[in-house]
Amino acid sequence: TSLTKPNKETYKLVLRAWARTKTKHGAVKAEALLEEEPAYFDITDYNTVLAAWAKQRNGFRAQTLLEKMPHEPNDASYGTVMNAWAFGLQPDKADRAYALFKRTQNERAACNQVLAACCYTPRRAGPDERERAWDIAQRVFYGMKETKKNERSFGFFLQACDLLVHDDDDKKKELLVDILRRCCREGLVTKFFIERFAQAVKQDDKETILKELGFCPETLDIPVEH
């Protein structure tokens, strides 16, 4: 008895099944299907496989697939690969995410993904890579329209400042306070944000700074007007 050749829909179903296993093996098998019958798959299918690699935090595989896609990548494609870089362990991931950022049109999501890549720069990164990540974080954050920033934008930038600016740098305190003031002004302060701020600022300065801005240093309660 002759076997029926799988059709387009069958390939799509199997691809999605492999991609959703959240395993490296599943991502490999899903990408192999793209290569086996490329004409069967559209941009959504390619993005599904990009997401499978992003779940593995494998920016290299995601980027490689992005560059050889037969379809024009869309914002979802770029955003997915930026996520793969952002949560991976590559020391230069901020640079890699920033390069993709310049190719996308979705400002808020793309900015936050680059900021995430900066603030999660691994501690094993060298001085040059850390300095570059901080430069990118500032360029992206200060370049965003205020209306495009959300609590994630402020949170990622605060963490980037804490991680990438040396504690001995006299400007660190000024930078942290400026980020908090901006966040207050936009009404985007959350309990998590203020707790993160309290951890980042020097303990000798914490009580004075928080009191000046109307926060309770002991409970970190957010003032009603914020």
Side-chain angles (χ1 to χ4, degrees):
T1 304
S2 60
L3 297 176
T4 303
K5 177 178 171 56
N7 60 19
K8 178 178 178 179
E9 290 309 311
T10 304
Y11 268 88
K12 283 176 173 284
L13 286 170
V14 176
L15 178 140
R16 288 195 290 271
W18 277 121
R20 290 171 181 169
T21 61
K22 299 181 181 180
T23 64
K24 179 180 179 181
H25 180 66
V28 169
K29 298 291 276 187
E31 186 171 342
L33 290 174
L34 294 178
E35 295 171 353
E36 186 177 326
E37 290 289 353
Y40 283 179
F41 301 107
D42 57 24
I43 185 65
T44 301
D45 300 312
Y46 276 85
N47 287 347
T48 296
V49 182
L50 288 176
W53 283 121
K55 287 184 176 68
Q56 298 305 307
R57 302 183 179 185
N58 195 324
F60 291 108
R61 292 296 295 262
Q63 182 90 38
T64 299
L65 177 58
L66 177 79
E67 302 302 346
K68 67 181 183 182
M69 283 167 53
H71 305 281
E72 183 69 25
N74 56 23
D75 285 341
S77 312
Y78 292 123
T80 301
V81 181
M82 278 191 278
N83 267 339
W85 287 121
F87 297 101
L89 296 175
Q90 293 74 24
D92 63 342
K93 63 183 182 175
D95 253 319
R96 294 177 181 274
Y98 186 57
L100 291 170
F101 163 75
K102 293 186 282 189
R103 295 164 62 180
T104 187
Q105 303 297 316
N106 188 344
E107 182 181 355
R108 174 183 287 173
C111 285
N112 285 347
Q113 286 158 334
V114 177
L115 290 172
C118 294
C119 83
Y120 294 132
T121 296
R123 296 191 180 277
R124 65 186 177 87
D128 290 345
E129 289 160 331
R130 293 168 68 85
E131 183 178 346
R132 175 65 178 158
W134 176 235
D135 178 65
I136 289 170
Q138 292 179 92
R139 192 176 305 176
V140 170
F141 182 80
Y142 293 123
M144 286 179 76
K145 296 176 183 176
E146 293 300 320
T147 55
K148 294 292 185 180
K149 293 174 182 172
N150 59 18
E151 59 273 13
R152 288 169 61 82
S153 314
F154 283 99
F156 286 143
F157 190 56
L158 177 78
Q159 288 181 256
C161 180
D162 184 28
L163 174 69
L164 300 170
V165 180
H166 200 278
D167 289 340
D168 294 335
D169 190 325
D170 294 336
K171 293 183 179 179
K172 184 168 185 175
K173 172 184 171 182
E174 181 182 332
L175 284 164
L176 290 169
V177 172
D178 180 65
I179 297 167
L180 177 57
R181 289 185 185 277
R182 288 171 180 264
C183 194
C184 288
R185 189 164 62 240
E186 297 302 318
L188 294 172
V189 177
T190 63
K191 187 68 177 289
F192 175 79
F193 179 90
I194 200 63
E195 288 173 351
R196 191 68 187 79
F197 176 86
Q199 293 170 5
V201 73
K202 288 183 178 180
Q203 293 306 299
D204 292 345
D205 298 324
K206 182 179 76 172
E207 184 171 345
T208 302
I209 293 170
L210 292 177
K211 280 185 176 179
E212 285 179 357
L213 293 173
F215 294 89
C216 175
E218 290 77 27
T219 65
L220 301 180
D221 285 341
I222 302 170
V224 175
E225 60 268 26
H226 295 314

